[in-house]
Amino acid sequence: MTLQAPPAPRNAQGRIRRVGVEIEFAGLPPRDTALVVRELFGGELNAVSPHRLQVENTRWGEFVIELDTQYAHPDRRVLDDRIALDGEWAHHQHQLRTEFHQKTRELIGDMVTGLVPTEIICPPIPWNELDLLDRLFDALREHGAKGTDASLLYGFGLHLNPEIASPADDDIRAMLQAYLLLAPWLRDDIKVDITREVLPHANPFPKDYALKVLAADYRPKLAELIDDYLHDNPTRNRELDMLPLFAHLCPEHSHALLHSRLTKPRPTFHYRLPNAQLSQPGWGAVTEWNRWVEVEKLAADRQALAERSAAYIADHSRPFYRRWADKLRRLFHSR
């Protein structure tokens, strides 16, 4: 599959834009996965804990490979707790407490291995090198990794974190509008797994929010855009999670979600919709990046964006029964 170029290949500083990639899967534990990563991309293996490893100093930076549950990993707050360590007995108690904590977390990880997914968090990669990253997906398949469609219990996903091309208010709004318009097409083209549809992690945006944002007179400044988003989407569980970007662009905003431990500020869109299609030969980051680029193309074409927004509003302003009648006609005509 040919890697598609985005309309804006460079960021506001003139550097090639980068993309963070995260993937979940079963069938391959973290240590074996880390060895696959190191074999492909070089670097040094660093075992942070039994179920969290890093492959450092690769061509792109640091890969993190871990069981995707916080309970399999030592809690830094426990390890770093040094309250009232004034004497030898206090130090001894702290050491016993941390050793017990680490052993307990290791045991939990051993017990849930195979039940919770392994996750690879890739370093930010230049978008024009994503085809090189796809070697990883091929290798995971060869080593027995299982993706979303291997079981009804597997709600695994692939997340993309494309770096923004511009922090301008109009550009951020246009990207959000383009995504709202193309979300139904993306869901259909990806064929989002039924298990992932049931789970809350990649929920669609409410229709009322889409109608608000797609209105022709909707031209908010960043602060208003953020306030509107948080009012209608007070959650991380959206197919396009804007919270990391908003936390980066507006660190002084007071909303608790933007300061949550789980919200990591970064100048990227957090796109959570794709399945982890490891059973599909040829599938990888390039496949999902190319779909994402269609969002960027629509956002860059302001006339097409305005026309499609108007058409969306007109369609959703019709009575419910007429819209359903049209959908049923299209369904039967397509057979």
Side-chain angles (χ1 to χ4, degrees):
M1 181 173 291
T2 303
L3 180 65
Q4 299 297 312
R10 297 180 179 271
N11 62 20
Q13 290 73 44
R15 294 189 291 270
I16 292 290
R17 291 168 58 204
R18 298 184 297 170
V19 187
V21 180
E22 306 165 29
I23 183 170
E24 305 162 325
F25 52 89
L28 201 62
R31 174 166 287 276
D32 293 347
T33 301
L35 293 174
V36 171
V37 171
R38 186 179 66 176
E39 181 181 351
L40 287 173
F41 305 122
E44 294 84 45
L45 194 65
N46 174 27
V48 179
S49 64
H51 301 289
R52 175 179 287 145
L53 300 100
Q54 297 168 341
V55 180
E56 302 171 333
N57 300 318
T58 73
R59 63 180 295 163
W60 298 305
E62 176 186 284
F63 287 79
V64 177
I65 303 97
E66 62 185 15
L67 283 181
D68 190 20
T69 171
Q70 62 179 326
Y71 302 110
H73 313 296
D75 188 331
R76 294 306 314 177
R77 291 172 296 183
V78 174
L79 300 184
D80 296 338
D81 181 14
R82 300 188 177 277
I83 297 175
L85 297 184
D86 328 7
E88 184 177 341
W89 175 242
H91 280 280
H92 181 63
Q93 284 184 310
H94 175 71
Q95 183 178 355
L96 290 175
R97 185 166 58 250
T98 56
E99 287 178 358
F100 179 76
H101 176 72
Q102 289 171 315
K103 289 293 185 183
T104 302
R105 291 299 175 97
E106 180 180 356
L107 179 61
I108 292 172
D110 291 343
M111 293 173 62
V112 301
T113 296
L115 300 176
V116 302
T118 298
E119 182 178 26
I120 301 176
I121 304 166
C122 302
I125 294 168
W127 70 263
N128 56 356
E129 297 182 22
L130 285 172
D131 53 343
L132 301 179
L133 180 67
D134 272 3
R135 295 163 53 202
L136 174 59
F137 298 91
D138 295 334
L140 291 174
R141 272 188 286 270
E142 292 169 4
H143 284 79
K146 307 296 183 184
T148 313
D149 56 356
S151 169
L152 286 174
L153 300 177
Y154 292 169
F156 305 151
L158 176 136
H159 299 177
L160 293 182
N161 297 281
E163 181 182 8
I164 60 173
S166 162
D169 297 357
D170 287 351
D171 294 330
I172 300 299
R173 186 198 71 245
M175 284 293 296
L176 182 55
Q177 290 173 324
Y179 187 85
L180 290 168
L181 291 169
L182 290 181
W185 169 76
L186 286 167
R187 286 182 170 272
D188 183 62
D189 204 51
I190 292 170
K191 297 179 176 55
V192 177
D193 184 81
I194 184 62
T195 304
R196 300 191 68 241
E197 290 279 18
V198 172
L199 293 171
H201 310 307
N203 283 343
F205 287 95
K207 186 183 75 172
D208 287 347
Y209 176 70
L211 290 171
K212 176 194 299 181
V213 173
L214 294 172
D217 60 352
Y218 189 70
R219 294 288 185 271
K221 295 296 185 183
L222 179 64
E224 183 184 350
L225 180 69
I226 294 174
D227 287 343
D228 288 345
Y229 181 95
L230 290 167
H231 180 269
D232 290 307
N233 307 279
T235 175
R236 296 174 61 243
N237 296 326
R238 285 288 180 261
E239 54 194 309
L240 182 65
D241 177 14
M242 299 288 287
L243 297 182
L245 175 59
F246 289 157
H248 169 79
L249 293 175
C250 197
E252 69 279 6
H253 199 287
S254 61
H255 198 285
L257 270 177
L258 298 184
H259 301 278
S260 165
R261 183 171 59 88
L262 297 175
T263 300
K264 299 176 182 177
R266 55 197 176 206
T268 69
F269 300 100
H270 186 38
Y271 172 48
R272 304 159 61 101
L273 190 60
N275 303 321
Q277 294 291 106
L278 285 174
S279 62
Q280 182 180 319
W283 175 87
V286 170
T287 303
E288 302 306 339
W289 166 259
N290 286 351
R291 289 188 175 114
W292 170 261
V293 167
E294 295 303 312
V295 177
E296 298 205 4
K297 287 179 180 177
L298 179 57
D301 187 341
R302 294 298 207 268
Q303 181 175 346
L305 184 64
E307 291 171 354
R308 293 187 63 164
S309 296
Y312 179 97
I313 291 172
D315 180 59
H316 284 80
S317 298
R318 294 185 303 148
F320 173 81
Y321 65 89
R322 289 187 180 176
R323 286 190 286 116
W324 269 103
D326 286 347
K327 288 181 180 179
L328 289 172
R329 278 195 293 270
R330 287 196 295 270
L331 177 63
F332 286 118
H333 289 163
S334 65
R335 290 185 174 182

